[in-house]
Structure formats: structure tokens, C-alpha cells
Amino acid sequence: MSPLGPGGEFDLIRSFQAAGPPPGAEVLVGSGDDCAVLESGWVVSTDAFLEDVHFRRAWISFDEAGYRAVTAALSDVAAMAARPVGVLVALGLPHADASRIADGLRSGIRRACEHARCALLGGDLTRSPDRLVVNVVALGRAHRPILRSGARAGDEVWVTGVLGTSAAAVRDWQGGREPGPSVRRAFAEPVARLGEARWLAERIRVTALIDLSDGLLGDMGQVAAASGVAVVLDPALVPVAPGAVAAAGSRRSALPLALAGGEDYELAFTARQGSAESVAADFHRRFGIPLTRVGIVADGAGVRLEGDGADEFDPGSAGFDHFRAPPSGAADVGRPENR
Amino acid sequence: MSPLGPGGEFDLIRSFQAAGPPPGAEVLVGSGDDCAVLESGWVVSTDAFLEDVHFRRAWISFDEAGYRAVTAALSDVAAMAARPVGVLVALGLPHADASRIADGLRSGIRRACEHARCALLGGDLTRSPDRLVVNVVALGRAHRPILRSGARAGDEVWVTGVLGTSAAAVRDWQGGREPGPSVRRAFAEPVARLGEARWLAERIRVTALIDLSDGLLGDMGQVAAASGVAVVLDPALVPVAPGAVAAAGSRRSALPLALAGGEDYELAFTARQGSAESVAADFHRRFGIPLTRVGIVADGAGVRLEGDGADEFDPGSAGFDHFRAPPSGAADVGRPENR
């Protein structure tokens, strides 16, 4: 049983990954990372983006939905420290209002591709009975892709940017409130940390890298499992987004959004002691976002919280998992699917 | 206006393909073919497979749905004469009965991967509000991928196998009848012509190649558009599947299923006069399916029918297109979405 709780999405994913023949020699990383890694340095990822699961029409426009879907997929390319090359998009378009929805999506997809300087390389178009379905394949290239599996005991855990804004937006919407502009924007037009990941990989030895799509706790659980280590996070160090603090009323009530709210698309990485510290100020100047140490890697397994505030938070009920009952209490963070 | 009718899926696809920055030098074919072609010979395709659009629970099991989704995606790899390497699968699983659905899908995905000797390289798992969503990314590799754009006036048009069985199965289900075992099997467990495509490409100069996912008329419309030629099909030559003839009652009433019914996943290709003829007998012996000449390539544009039976069929209402009103009359072939 994983420290993130029994069963659920992660186990189900692993059971699928174990299915079928093993990959041949031209596949360098077959499964279990943000992207598959192919011979010649290509990395490939696929991401589903479903109406009423990942977004709702009442929350964002179709243009923003297209932007967000492409950016979320490109975030997996960032998580390999790879350069984005292109995307393929498979759409299931509801028949009602199909051309208006298509116009919006096309505009948002184009903006996201332009922002990341990558091309739309094809796709598939089909009807959907009612809800919009967007699936994005992201393709990138890396000389030395960074995996989830390289964390070692003694490494430090760092994150880019601030956490919890996207979850705060969802919580506002779910509470019947319109989020403030900056909080809303974090959800509607997230940023894939593509340049940031490569900048870091060129300057320090990043031992493991992941993007925060399922929440810091859940995603560091993936790093811990892939690396065969424990990750110990200090809640007091987590850079809770000011927008999340404002929306939640206090840092303490915003902490669950930062720890377990997914889809911030920031990066979390591990590095040898002191190495990230040496570039943190340059990073902040270059990208305008902080680089923050949030914990350490230790011998053992799983993710745990240690330090002030750790007792108030139940990691067993946190971490984004589509296939468990909605979490409750402190971990009942805003997610579209927690209806 | 295309000879396949105004607007609809194909125009919408083109409008998406035109969006965003052009691909860089490491993308050899960016859009408009069955797969994107990347430097180093990788080919990539994505296919959506949606409940109540591409299949219904009452028709096939989840095991068969998984098998069919993977096979349909691999058919795009066959359409490049590429070797399959692996697939990534993004699933939207309904919460109700998720583990039983997942078990079935996993089994079918595994069988399809084993059949094609390729690996499951990763994916994405999410909840779906009600309907199952399966998106498959297929990856393959080819020294010399065959595109849709190489057909020249004077070439012959050939198809593998027999056509119309999958559409006959859908028509039976829609009419409240259970299809016969071989007709049902064509829908539930189609075959991607992976070995067949490479065999042909190694022996003759295939000038253009496509898989029949949207129906012979619609797919040859793609070849005609990409190649800047006209395709002239002779209805009398089309190898209508015996199962479709039996289900429809006569060859004449089965012809629309063969011409416009999609998802047979056979191959259509063009080649210089006489070249396919020279290998047709060997092909039949090797693969147990016929190789049949069905028409010619001419100067001009679009697809047209000439010969016996051409007058009875209205190509303007045929060809699979998710975004037009359901076709009527002779072209009202069985498709899951023609409800």
C-alpha cells in the first residue's frame, strides 16, 4: 500500500503499464515517466482533457480550454527537460455548436503552440455525444532527458514558482464565486515551464524531475516510487501562492491547495545539496519566479510531511486521484471532479 | 467545394492543421497524412475512440473496445508502411464500474499490442463523467514512409481485402439484429494491415497509401486532395465483403457499405500500371486476402465513380463525416453515430 492510500489511479496506471510485450531497444524509457523516450532523443506524452472533469464551460472559454489542454501536455515535455517540437490534437466535438467550439479551441491551441514555439502536427476529429473531449500528444526532443528515477537520499527537493493557485480558482468556482483575475488566469492560461527546465538542466545536475499536474504530494510520490527513496516535505517551506492565500483566507487554509491541488504545472526536482541554491537567484532574475527548497530525499519509501503544520494535514487523503472517493477535510481541495 | 460535399470534417481538420507556427526541420511531414513523420524515421498518430460514437456497450465488450481502439491507431502506422513500435493510451474511465471496465480494456489493449508486437509505452488515466473515452497514440518507424501525396495520373488504385463488413455489423446492430460471427468479428477485432503494407512497399513502388478508416470514397478523397489528382473508382470492381452482401441481401445493396462504410482498416494504394498486378497472387498466398484493382488516377480533382452502378450511388452524400447531418438513402450506411 502506497503512503498515498490504497488502490486508485496510480496502481491502475501501473497495471496498464505492465500489460503487453516489453519495448524494444529503440525505446529508451517505455513507461512510468512523464514521457516515453525514444531513440534519437524524441520524447512523447499524451494527456486527456475532458469537459466536466478537467474544466467546465461555465469557468473558461473554449479558447482557454484549447490553450490549457496544449499547455498541460507540453508540461510533460518540460518535465523531461526537453525542447517542445509539436503537438497532435484529437478532438471529440459536441455536435451542438460545433463550429463555435472549434473556432475557440483552434484559437487557443494556436496561441499555446505559438507561445511554446511548436507546431500543430496533425490530429483526429470526431463527434462527441455531448461533452468536449480534447486529447493532446506532445512531442519534444532532448539530448539527455531527465527522469523521475534519479533521486538519491541526501538530495534536496525544489519547486519552481508558487503553488495552489489553480486549485484556488477551482475552489472559488465550486463555491459559486468568480476567482480574482490572477487566480483565474493561473487556471485558464497556465504556463509550461519549458525554458525553466532546460535552463536548470544546463546549469546543475538535476537528479529527478517531474511537473506538478497531480499535486506536490502525489507527484513526489511518483518520484519516490520511481527512485526507490522517501521524500520528506516541510509544509512550512512550501511556497503557497499569494492568490491561494487570499482566496482561502490564510496560509494555513491555503496549504492543502498547495500540497494536494494539482495542475499548477510548476516543476519539482531533486538535486545534490547546495547545487540549486547556487543558481536560485539567477533563476529568479531570469524567469521572474522563485526557486524554493521544500524538502529532502531520504532512505525509505513514500512521501511524508515533517515540520510545522505537518500534523494538521493528512497525506492519506491528499494527492489527486481520479479513482478514489472525493477526499474530505483539509485535503478537500478544489478539483473540477470533486463535485 | 469538395466532391465529397461542403464543409464538414475534412475542412475542419484542414483549418486546424493551418493553425500555429510551421514545423521545424526535424519534422518531415507535419500534417495532412495518416501520421506525422519525424526525423530519424519515427511516425506518430493519434486516434480518439469514444463510447456511443465509435462503439456502444451493447455491441462489444470492453476487451474488444480496447483491442479495436489500439488496432485502429496502429492502422495509421500501417498506412505509412511503417513498423509498429508502441502505443500510449489515454483513458477517461467512467467511475461506475471503473475496475471492471479497466480490466476489460487492459486485456484488449494487451492482446492488440501482442498481435502487432508492439509495447504499451505509457499513457494517462482520468475519470470520465459517464462515457468511456479511449485515445491511442501509435508510434512506428519507417526508412521510407509512404505518404498520401504521391499518386499520379495513370496510376492504378488498389485495395487490400474486402470492404463493408464493419459497416454491415453496425447496420445490423442499429436494426436490432445481432450480426453473424464473421461480420461481428470484423468490427470487434479488426486487423491493421501492418505486415501487408511493408510487404507491398518492399516489392513494388507504392506511390500513395492510406488506410480505410473513413470509407473508400472519403479516404480516396484525401489521397486525391493531397496528390492534386482525381481518383476514378469503378463500383463493379470494388471487392464487396461476402458478409456485407449476406447482411444487406445483395451486392447492390451492400455496395454503399463497401464504398462509404468506414473502419474496415484495409489499405488503399496507388501504383504504376501493372506493378501491383505482378505481386497480387503472391500477396493473396502470403496473407490470405485479395489485392484488387478498383480504379485509376486521372488529372483533375476529387473522387468520382464511373462504370456499372455508378449512377445509383450519390457520392455527395457518402463518405464518413462526423460533422454533417446523417446521410440518407443509399449512402445511409451503418455507422455508430448514425443514430
Side-chain angles (χ1 to χ4, degrees):
Chain A
M1 181 178 136
S2 123
L4 286 171
E9 181 184 6
F10 300 135
D11 289 351
L12 202 50
I13 288 177
R14 283 190 202 102
S15 82
F16 270 87
Q17 288 167 341
E26 61 205 321
V27 177
L28 309 182
V29 176
S31 68
D33 221 292
D34 297 278
C35 292
V37 181
L38 311 178
E39 202 184 74
S40 315
W42 286 99
V43 302
V44 192
S45 173
T46 183
D47 258 307
F49 188 70
L50 309 183
E51 182 172 349
D52 292 337
V53 176
H54 296 93
F55 79 104
R56 295 193 199 163
R57 290 183 195 213
W59 297 355
I60 58 174
S61 69
F62 290 109
D63 171 276
E64 289 167 332
Y67 192 94
R68 186 169 161 76
V70 168
T71 302
L74 289 173
S75 182
D76 283 326
V77 171
M80 310 301 285
R83 179 172 45 82
V85 173
V87 298
L88 292 91
V89 179
L91 294 179
L93 277 183
H95 205 290
D97 224 6
S99 78
R100 189 179 68 87
I101 297 174
D103 286 347
L105 287 173
R106 184 170 38 231
S107 157
I109 290 168
R110 178 170 48 221
R111 287 192 303 118
C113 284
E114 280 168 358
H115 190 266
R117 294 197 197 86
C118 72
L120 182 61
L121 302 180
D124 183 32
L125 195 59
T126 188
R127 187 174 72 75
S128 171
D130 44 20
R131 293 186 180 83
L132 174 63
V133 172
V134 183
N135 199 91
V136 182
V137 181
L139 293 162
R141 216 154 182 200
H143 292 298
R144 194 181 70 86
I146 300 179
L147 310 183
R148 299 172 174 180
S149 51
R152 295 294 171 261
D155 285 357
E156 296 169 341
V157 181
W158 288 72
V159 297
T160 64
V162 293
L163 307 182
T165 329
S166 184
V170 172
R171 207 173 69 157
D172 274 349
W173 277 312
Q174 288 178 330
R177 299 175 299 275
E178 180 66 12
S182 72
V183 170
R184 185 188 182 285
R185 190 179 162 82
F187 183 91
E189 301 202 354
V191 176
R193 300 297 183 192
L194 291 156
E196 290 84 343
R198 280 174 291 151
W199 189 95
L200 286 166
E202 284 161 11
R203 277 157 188 84
I204 63 172
R205 176 143 181 253
V206 176
T207 53
L209 179 61
I210 196 166
D211 71 313
L212 297 179
S213 53
D214 293 341
L216 182 62
L217 286 171
D219 288 318
M220 288 315 297
Q222 299 280 3
V223 169
S227 298
V229 296
V231 168
V232 185
L233 300 173
D234 182 344
L237 298 180
V238 171
V240 184
V245 174
S250 70
R251 186 186 189 280
R252 183 174 156 177
S253 32
L255 187 62
L257 301 174
L259 281 171
E263 303 182 348
D264 283 314
Y265 302 114
E266 294 294 344
L267 301 170
F269 64 94
T270 58
R272 299 282 177 259
Q273 255 194 348
S275 76
E277 182 66 47
S278 69
V279 298
D282 277 356
F283 181 92
H284 198 160
R285 265 192 301 274
R286 171 79 176 78
F287 297 105
I289 56 171
L291 207 58
T292 310
R293 186 172 63 82
V294 295
I296 57 161
V297 178
D299 288 323
V303 180
R304 63 180 189 270
L305 300 175
E306 282 184 15
D308 273 5
D311 294 344
E312 295 160 30
F313 192 84
D314 172 17
S317 69
F320 177 38
D321 187 329
H322 292 276
F323 293 98
R324 292 191 320 213
S328 59
D332 190 2
V333 297
R335 303 290 308 214
E337 49 280 85
N338 293 349
R339 286 184 293 184
Chain B
M1 181 177 136
S2 122
L4 286 172
E9 180 184 8
F10 300 137
D11 289 350
L12 202 50
I13 288 177
R14 282 188 203 104
S15 82
F16 270 87
Q17 289 168 342
E26 62 206 320
V27 177
L28 310 181
V29 176
S31 68
D33 221 292
D34 297 278
C35 292
V37 182
L38 311 177
E39 204 184 72
S40 316
W42 287 99
V43 302
V44 192
S45 173
T46 183
D47 259 307
F49 188 69
L50 308 183
E51 182 172 350
D52 292 336
V53 176
H54 297 93
F55 79 103
R56 295 194 200 163
R57 291 183 195 212
W59 297 355
I60 59 175
S61 68
F62 290 109
D63 171 276
E64 289 167 331
Y67 191 94
R68 186 169 161 77
V70 167
T71 301
L74 289 173
S75 182
D76 284 325
V77 170
M80 310 301 286
R83 179 172 47 79
V85 174
V87 297
L88 292 90
V89 179
L91 295 178
L93 277 184
H95 204 292
D97 224 6
S99 78
R100 190 180 66 89
I101 297 174
D103 286 348
L105 287 173
R106 184 170 39 233
S107 156
I109 290 168
R110 178 170 51 223
R111 286 193 304 117
C113 284
E114 279 168 359
H115 190 266
R117 294 195 199 88
C118 72
L120 181 60
L121 302 180
D124 182 33
L125 194 59
T126 188
R127 187 175 72 76
S128 171
D130 43 21
R131 293 185 179 85
L132 176 62
V133 172
V134 183
N135 199 94
V136 182
V137 181
L139 293 162
R141 217 156 180 196
H143 292 297
R144 194 181 69 87
I146 300 179
L147 309 183
R148 299 172 176 181
S149 52
R152 295 294 171 259
D155 285 358
E156 297 169 342
V157 181
W158 288 72
V159 297
T160 64
V162 293
L163 307 182
T165 328
S166 184
V170 173
R171 207 172 71 156
D172 274 348
W173 277 311
Q174 288 179 331
R177 299 176 297 277
E178 180 65 14
S182 73
V183 169
R184 185 188 182 286
R185 190 178 162 84
F187 182 91
E189 302 204 351
V191 177
R193 298 299 182 192
L194 290 155
E196 291 84 344
R198 281 174 291 153
W199 189 96
L200 287 167
E202 283 162 11
R203 278 157 186 84
I204 63 172
R205 178 146 176 250
V206 176
T207 53
L209 179 60
I210 195 166
D211 70 313
L212 297 179
S213 52
D214 294 340
L216 183 61
L217 286 170
D219 288 319
M220 288 316 295
Q222 300 281 5
V223 169
S227 297
V229 297
V231 168
V232 185
L233 301 174
D234 183 343
L237 298 179
V238 171
V240 184
V245 173
S250 71
R251 187 188 188 278
R252 184 174 154 176
S253 33
L255 187 60
L257 302 174
L259 281 171
E263 303 182 347
D264 282 315
Y265 302 113
E266 295 294 345
L267 301 170
F269 64 94
T270 59
R272 301 279 178 262
Q273 256 194 347
S275 76
E277 183 67 48
S278 69
V279 299
D282 276 356
F283 182 92
H284 198 158
R285 264 192 302 274
R286 173 77 176 77
F287 297 105
I289 56 171
L291 208 56
T292 310
R293 185 173 63 82
V294 294
I296 56 160
V297 178
D299 288 322
V303 181
R304 62 181 190 271
L305 300 175
E306 282 183 15
D308 273 4
D311 296 344
E312 296 160 30
F313 192 84
D314 173 16
S317 69
F320 177 39
D321 188 330
H322 291 275
F323 292 98
R324 292 190 323 212
S328 59
D332 189 6
V333 297
R335 304 289 306 211
E337 49 279 89
N338 294 349
R339 287 186 291 184

